[in-house]
Amino acid sequence: MSAGDEQAIIKQYQPLIRALIPYEQQNRLLEGINKFSKRLPSSVRKVVKEEVVRLTSLTDAPADNSAFAQFPVMKFKHFGVQMRLDKVGAQILKNETSLYQDRYTVGVFESVMNSDFYQNQIKKEQFKKIVDAFNVESQSFTDIDFGDDIAIRPNFTISSPEFEKGRHCSISSMSHKGITLETKRPPNASTGDVITFTIPEVKGLTKEPTEITLELESVKYNKHLGKYETSFNFPDDVDKGFLATLKRYVAVTAYKQPLQRDLEIERAMQELERDRILENSPWLPVFLAPEKQSLKPMIALFTKANVEHNDADKLLASLQDKAIFATLVDELRKYNEAYVFHGNIKTKNGNVQITATHRQLLALKQLNALVYLLAKGGDFICTHCRLDSVTREDKQKAFAIHDIASKEFEQLAQISHVLYCKDVSAYLTNLTLSAKCDFKPLSKTLRASGNNWRIDYVMEEDLDRRSETRYVIDKPASIKVGLLTSLDARVADLSASGMKLTVAPHSDLQKEIRVSVPELKIKGEKYKVVHYQAETGVVRLCLVEDTRKAKVSSSVDHMVEENTAYFKVRDIARIQRSTHRYIWELAVRHMPSLSVLCVMNRFTLDRLKTVYQSDTSDDLYPFSRTQNIIPLHGFFADKGQAKPKSQILEAMFKETSEQALVVHCVRKSDNRLVYIKERDFLFSKLRTQIKTQLDEEKIHLSATDVTAIRCHGAITPLTKKRLAQLSKLDKAMYDKLETMQAGYTHCIFITNMSALHHDLVVDNLIAKPQRQDLESEGAA
């Protein structure tokens, strides 16, 4: 065997050689070779064995790497041998000596003197610096579980003749472990004192004033509250039944009363940050209820951001078809994610409306043809959907937090799932075919049936432009349509200058009509038809004459005053406010994307404050978190740079860019990651090479959407609500948290879209070259 062949073997089997070094140090080289290289040819085994023996031989050669070192270079002795190394070389010497069982060998000497090994070490250190720079602490969308440490600050006081001269003392902390009392002065009591207190009648805890014995544990001064806190434990002989009742009381009231100060601050921080993510998220949540073996959409939640980033009407229209929605639900239950295509296709017989999931199109082998036709027509939407289940506990919390009676909102109690939707059509509008495909006859299963679900929606008060209070009522009415003829109707809601009626579908109505409602003393009032939906028979009206508005308005106000209790529960604004808060509370616990909260800072990377991620999310793929640390270098860091930099983040914070697609190919043979530039992935010949690799199952494709949204102001619809409890405990901390809210600048959403992009690549769909790409090709 020639020397060149031996060197090639040594280079090829370098990882094996390094793995065998510890075995040689322990005189177990043969055992190691048999363990790692049973199937290797004997000639290769011989070369590997000789190389291991050579590397582990002791040497006294002095090492000097000053030829390629980073100054300063240090002179020192290592096992009595003279060394002349820089800081990196000294670290290599230390690491390699450790590998060779604390011996200075030929292998150690060669590693120190090898400039390639040196450069690799520097690259590793640089990469570690970059990774560390983009590491961000994570939080979960799930509520913080305080476990046995949970303690509340109740709104009642307790007293004892033996403590503070019988004064009633506020409770700063109460749990099944003990009670802490607040006093202005240090109490005249000692550790170990056993004192009997009287707890007043408290709903859910005591049915009458109850005496309870406590043992004094400690007295501490709380500088935040400016008061002394005396902590008491329950003695061993305390009534176990009372402790069980107390534990249940704390659990039930934890969402209605403030927690102990430190816990309340932690809870408020999480709630404020989750609210901010929902307020600025492009995802539009739609809440679902059981329907036979499937689910049906009930109500959607509109926010400033999701209305801005989606055509809400078009988005909901893509989900309304009953037949397709049942298919979508089956797909979501299996995969938790789906893509829905909804739009018009031009055929010989005219425009045909289709609605289908991308997996349906794959099964029919029509994904490329349909996407091409939809993109060509331009009138379509691709909706990215993610599903999560809503637990009974989530609903109980939402009702409790906002003090809503579940019996008054039975429809809301039926909610079982939340479906998050987002318009991702931007990734398809510019697609065309890179190879011929079969245009098969349009399958009947893809055609929209026209049998649609009705999806209500609710929005925050800032978005609701209605200026008058409306009341839900159900009264008979009549519309005059001729000299002696009238049309029967029902009043659905009423306000001072308008109302909503329901009439028989496809009724013929004029632009202005006269309405009579005998029970409301409205006779022949002239109303203008603001909106009429013929399919459902819903008519929205407003008074035509301003002179009549005052009279009708005073009549409605008088009627409301006389029946306050009746109309209070039928006030649409109140109903919508309660509904909005309830479904908001469900939504913040089930956000679908990995979300990064950003704050103001001079340095770009220091603006990444916190990452919120659901426990089941795979948006971080192909990277993974370590405990509560999230690595974001793969999505943001500039590739091939020695120092941590991010053009993507800088562009997003300067608002010159809002969206990016980050693409990686994962090689199956060794799990090596290969970064692909967005433009190369979408437009270049590299896309066809990736398709070939995917067809041969040599790689996995990871395509991740990164979207940045500037925060819509310092407060969210629930900011005051979240801080209300804290204001009772610590005004200084309340002010600090309130001021902090103005510091948040952006929310960045990281969403794995690999399933869709993988199938688009495999089905020969490629983006049309943009003008700058054509110009660059011409220049080349």
Side-chain angles (χ1 to χ4, degrees), residues 355-404:
T355 309
T357 70
H358 100 283
R359 289 189 177 89
Q360 268 185 300
L361 297 178
L362 280 176
L364 294 167
K365 296 184 178 178
Q366 284 288 280
L367 178 67
N368 48 8
L370 266 294
V371 169
Y372 171 74
L373 292 172
L374 287 169
K376 191 177 179 183
D379 182 17
F380 81 102
I381 183 172
C382 178
T383 307
H384 187 182
C385 302
R386 287 186 171 181
L387 184 73
D388 203 0
S389 59
V390 175
T391 65
R392 184 167 170 267
E393 186 185 4
D394 288 337
K395 291 187 280 188
Q396 286 175 339
K397 284 178 188 175
F399 281 128
I401 290 169
H402 299 292
D403 198 21
I404 300 170

Side-chain angles (χ1 to χ4, degrees), residues 233-339:
N233 287 334
F234 292 106
D236 296 335
D237 60 349
V238 71
D239 180 10
K240 298 294 187 269
F242 175 78
L243 282 186
T245 304
L246 177 57
K247 190 172 185 178
R248 189 165 55 251
Y249 175 77
V250 169
V252 169
T253 60
Y255 294 97
K256 297 180 180 179
Q257 298 189 68
L259 297 179
Q260 181 262 333
R261 178 186 174 274
D262 293 342
L263 304 186
E264 185 60 39
I265 292 170
E266 201 173 338
R267 179 168 75 172
M269 281 288 291
Q270 186 196 35
E271 288 181 335
L272 288 165
E273 291 188 335
R274 289 189 310 194
D275 288 344
R276 187 163 302 283
I277 290 167
L278 176 58
E279 168 77 350
N280 298 291
S281 169
W283 291 93
L284 190 151
V286 179
F287 295 86
L288 317 179
E291 172 68 18
K292 297 178 182 176
Q293 298 299 313
S294 187
L295 300 169
K296 66 176 180 181
M298 287 175 57
I299 189 167
L301 173 63
F302 288 178
T303 66
K304 292 188 183 80
N306 68 32
V307 168
E308 200 174 277
H309 285 76
N310 302 287
D311 182 334
D313 291 336
K314 218 171 183 180
L315 194 70
L316 295 182
S318 69
L319 305 174
Q320 286 181 314
D321 193 281
K322 289 187 177 181
I324 297 299
F325 193 79
T327 304
L328 174 63
V329 167
D330 291 340
E331 200 169 299
L332 286 167
R333 280 176 164 169
K334 188 173 181 181
Y335 301 103
N336 289 333
E337 180 181 68
Y339 296 86

Side-chain angles (χ1 to χ4, degrees), residues 678-695:
E678 180 180 359
R679 184 176 292 178
D680 291 342
F681 172 71
L682 293 174
F683 304 107
S684 74
K685 293 176 182 176
L686 184 60
R687 189 174 175 95
T688 56
Q689 295 172 14
I690 292 171
K691 172 193 159 37
T692 304
Q693 296 279 306
L694 288 170
D695 288 340

Side-chain angles (χ1 to χ4, degrees), residues 522-541:
I522 294 173
K523 186 177 180 180
E525 289 293 347
K526 196 174 183 182
Y527 283 87
K528 179 184 176 184
V529 176
V530 178
H531 180 262
Y532 174 45
Q533 192 171 15
E535 293 80 9
T536 58
V538 174
V539 192
R540 296 185 184 277
L541 309 172

Side-chain angles (χ1 to χ4, degrees), residues 515-577:
V515 180
S516 297
V517 188
E519 290 186 36
L520 301 180
K521 297 179 182 178
I522 294 173
K523 186 177 180 180
E525 289 293 347
K526 196 174 183 182
Y527 283 87
K528 179 184 176 184
V529 176
V530 178
H531 180 262
Y532 174 45
Q533 192 171 15
E535 293 80 9
T536 58
V538 174
V539 192
R540 296 185 184 277
L541 309 172
C542 73
L543 281 166
V544 174
E545 299 173 22
D546 289 338
T547 53
R548 299 295 299 163
K549 283 185 180 179
K551 183 180 177 183
V552 176
S553 178
S554 62
S555 175
V556 170
D557 290 341
H558 180 69
M559 183 170 55
V560 171
E561 283 174 18
E562 285 187 340
N563 303 278
T564 307
Y566 175 85
F567 281 99
K568 185 180 179 182
V569 295
R570 287 163 177 79
D571 181 350
I572 288 179
R574 174 186 166 274
I575 294 168
Q576 286 195 331
R577 187 163 51 250

